[in-house]
Amino acid sequence: MKRTLSLTLVGLLAFGTASAGNFTEINVEKAAAIIDAAIEAHGGDALLDDLQTVVIENHTTNHSVGQSLGTEAPWDRSANNGIEVIDLENRVFYTKAWGEGGGFEFSNSTIINGEESYQINHRSGTVQQIAEPDYDATSGPFVRVTPALLMRTLNDRRNNAHFLGETTAEGVDYNVIGFSMTVGPAISLYFEKDTNLLRRSERVLPNFGLVEYRFDDYQTKNTIPFNQKFTLLLNGDVNLERDNKSLQANVAIDAYLAVPDGLVEVPAIGPDALARQEVADGVWLIGGNGTYAMFVDMDDYVFAAGGTAGIPERIELLREVVGDKPIRYGMMTHHHFDHVLGVPAYEEEGATVIAATAHERIVRDAANDAERLDVQLVDERMTLESDRRVVEIIDIGPTAHSQHLLVAYLPEEGILFEADHFALPRVGPIGPAVSSTRTFAKSLAQLGIDAKIILAAHSPRLGTPDDLQEALDAEIFEANL
């Protein structure tokens, strides 16, 4: 991140002698010249404009940075395969990924094709129509890792591009252009001075930090250079290493847009609006957009479980029913970076953050003030009691997803809150269990946890023991993982 900031200063200092009246004009002209040279290096205007469809099959090694069983590197590794297809003229996109990792086995595909847009789960054999398909958001990750497509996008949006400066990285000299795509934070593109090829790019994502992209092993296809290798780094750690196994350009893609036979159709996927539902008297599941937290009224205070994105907004909805009653405790289920995003919000509330002992460093690192954060550590179990109810916080790890995993259990009501171990689709049948679900169910049985209602950090649906058993018994529709 510091390098990105200093790079911007280099660009500014390069024009230090320009007057205020012509600074912007010089910057725009410099950016245009670099973009023109880069477009030519990537095949030229005409060829890029003629590029209508791209089909890439890839193999990816995933280094689970901040998402491994443990809290330290070396990170767990897993492998998956994928196919990505784009039709630029008709704004059609298809992607399929299958593999395993982190206690999950998966095989999913997405079709973005206007009113014929679908989400398909090949393991469960279900298909859902997407009520509000978003071509830009869905295809954006593919565009960002495919230089030829990035160049087309940059050319189309050159009016918001800026010259950021010149820099040297790992012995290579670069010109750097910054611009904004339709969706997401601004991106910086590093063009190698000798060849004008795109070799690197960077974005800074709120709450996650610096995301870096590397493009290597260019080979020409349809007279356009395409990278055969791609590497993604998170805050300096290698996260993904991808090899493009095959690439086709300007070919028919209709076969990818056909929904396979034999799938069960479930209700359409619509927006997941922020909402509050009362599960039991004084127990609420609050969330939306795929992230949820449980809040429990303990008479004099509130106990909260879950630290995914959007905790401040979820607290606002809580305040509508509990007023200014303090949140005394906020429980983090585990150490993965997407499950400690809520630490600053609980810190702001003055709450004590509850975490597994092994996760103390991760939780403190997520706080605004690591040293002053009030943390209550759990080795195996802790209990909160009031005249109204009891909450048991239990480490049910190790599981296939995390060495330590805290769940919140209300024994009198039979309510259990968990994260990442029992996938509850918003609608439709329960899918076949994955490894993390099986280890979750085994731990509940071993610990004698008799849950009647299962709440999940990524679904508004209330699960039951029958749902869990259905997942454990379900057969996989497509077994070629």
Side-chain angles (χ1 to χ4, degrees):
M1 193 179 303
K2 291 182 179 178
R3 183 181 65 197
T4 304
L5 293 174
S6 63
L7 175 63
T8 304
L9 290 176
V10 170
L12 293 172
L13 293 173
F15 301 123
T17 59
S19 67
N22 64 8
F23 176 88
T24 301
E25 184 177 5
I26 293 173
N27 185 292
V28 168
E29 291 174 353
K30 179 69 172 179
I34 293 171
I35 293 171
D36 288 342
I39 292 291
E40 189 63 31
H42 288 83
D45 265 325
L47 287 175
L48 288 175
D49 285 345
D50 288 341
L51 185 63
Q52 296 303 316
T53 65
V54 176
V55 179
I56 294 180
E57 298 185 24
N58 61 68
H59 175 79
T60 301
T61 299
N62 180 29
H63 304 254
S64 300
V65 179
Q67 297 281 91
S68 291
L69 286 166
T71 60
E72 304 288 345
W75 307 112
D76 299 339
R77 293 188 183 187
S78 59
N80 61 73
N81 297 285
I83 302 171
E84 290 169 299
V85 179
I86 195 165
D87 180 337
L88 297 158
E89 180 177 3
N90 295 303
R91 293 175 62 81
V92 171
F93 182 68
Y94 168 88
T95 181
K96 180 178 181 180
W98 63 99
E100 58 184 28
F104 300 96
E105 296 81 32
F106 58 91
S107 181
N108 303 297
S109 60
T110 301
I111 300 170
I112 302 296
N113 184 23
E115 295 182 355
E116 300 297 318
S117 296
Y118 301 96
Q119 183 75 53
I120 300 171
N121 187 320
H122 299 276
R123 292 186 84 250
S124 63
T126 58
V127 56
Q128 290 178 285
Q129 187 171 22
I130 301 174
E132 297 183 12
D134 189 330
Y135 168 82
D136 291 318
T138 309
S139 65
F142 178 53
V143 172
R144 283 190 291 272
V145 303
T146 309
L149 301 180
L150 261 178
M151 296 311 303
R152 276 186 53 121
T153 305
L154 174 62
N155 205 22
D156 290 342
R157 299 178 64 81
R158 62 164 59 215
N159 287 340
N160 75 16
H162 300 278
F163 173 60
L164 296 183
E166 302 174 359
T167 192
T168 299
E170 298 176 359
V172 179
D173 295 330
Y174 295 99
N175 285 312
V176 187
I177 296 292
F179 85 109
S180 296
M181 297 177 65
T182 306
V183 177
I187 189 168
S188 301
L189 306 181
Y190 287 60
F191 295 104
E192 187 178 38
K193 284 189 176 182
D194 288 346
T195 65
N196 294 312
L197 288 175
L198 179 63
R199 293 290 187 182
R200 308 157 69 100
S201 66
E202 294 176 347
R203 296 195 303 158
V204 177
L205 300 183
N207 300 316
F208 288 98
L210 182 64
V211 181
E212 304 173 72
Y213 306 76
R214 303 286 182 267
F215 309 105
D216 296 303
D217 192 15
Y218 274 93
Q219 297 181 21
T220 300
K221 184 73 174 181
N222 288 29
T223 67
I224 295 175
F226 285 91
N227 64 305
Q228 301 302 300
K229 295 184 180 297
F230 162 73
T231 305
L232 183 144
L233 299 90
L234 293 179
N235 295 313
D237 290 323
V238 174
N239 180 219
L240 296 175
E241 294 178 292
R242 176 171 294 179
D243 293 318
N244 291 332
K245 296 299 185 181
S246 69
L247 186 149
Q248 302 177 76
N250 294 336
V251 296
I253 66 167
D254 291 347
Y256 296 101
L257 307 181
V259 175
D261 295 331
L263 299 177
V264 175
E265 187 172 354
V266 296
I269 302 171
D272 184 13
L274 184 66
R276 180 187 63 243
Q277 56 179 312
E278 191 166 15
V279 180
D281 182 33
V283 181
W284 298 276
L285 183 68
I286 304 178
N289 197 29
T291 60
Y292 295 81
M294 179 180 75
F295 297 89
V296 181
D297 190 337
M298 300 292 288
D299 286 330
D300 295 334
Y301 66 92
V302 172
F303 164 78
T308 51
I311 293 299
E313 293 77 18
R314 283 131 187 83
I315 291 175
E316 286 182 12
L317 274 187
L318 173 72
R319 291 291 176 216
E320 294 179 2
V321 290
V322 302
D324 60 359
K325 186 174 294 188
I327 299 175
R328 186 173 296 174
Y329 299 99
M331 185 196 84
M332 302 297 106
T333 55
H334 57 304
H335 63 291
H336 293 167
F337 58 71
D338 56 322
H339 284 271
V340 296
L341 297 174
V343 169
Y346 294 127
E347 180 184 17
E348 180 70 20
E349 292 287 326
T352 296
V353 173
I354 299 173
T357 298
H359 300 160
E360 180 179 7
R361 179 185 61 81
I362 303 296
V363 167
R364 288 195 181 279
D365 286 348
N368 291 322
D369 190 334
E371 293 185 0
R372 297 185 63 183
L373 182 71
D374 187 8
V375 179
Q376 175 73 52
L377 299 176
V378 178
D379 285 319
E380 294 182 359
R381 182 187 297 249
M382 71 173 288
T383 301
L384 301 175
E385 296 186 58
S386 71
D387 292 339
R388 185 167 188 173
R389 58 170 48 95
V390 173
V391 175
E392 295 182 2
I393 297 159
I394 307 166
D395 185 350
I396 68 167
T399 72
H401 186 63
S402 179
Q403 289 177 352
H404 297 274
L405 179 80
L406 297 186
V407 298
Y409 178 50
L410 283 60
E412 296 174 5
E413 296 90 343
I415 298 173
L416 179 80
F417 179 87
E418 67 82 30
D420 287 359
H421 283 70
F422 184 26
L424 286 164
R426 287 166 57 195
V427 294
I430 304 295
V434 295
S435 297
S436 61
T437 306
R438 295 189 180 281
T439 53
F440 169 69
K442 182 178 179 180
S443 293
L444 296 188
Q446 289 177 337
L447 293 166
I449 298 175
D450 185 22
K452 302 295 191 298
I453 300 174
I454 302 173
L455 307 182
H458 293 299
S459 176
R461 182 169 174 171
L462 310 186
T464 67
D466 289 343
D467 292 332
L468 181 57
Q469 192 60 50
E470 180 181 344
L472 296 172
D473 294 340
E475 295 184 0
I476 299 172
F477 179 80
E478 181 186 274
N480 62 332
L481 299 178

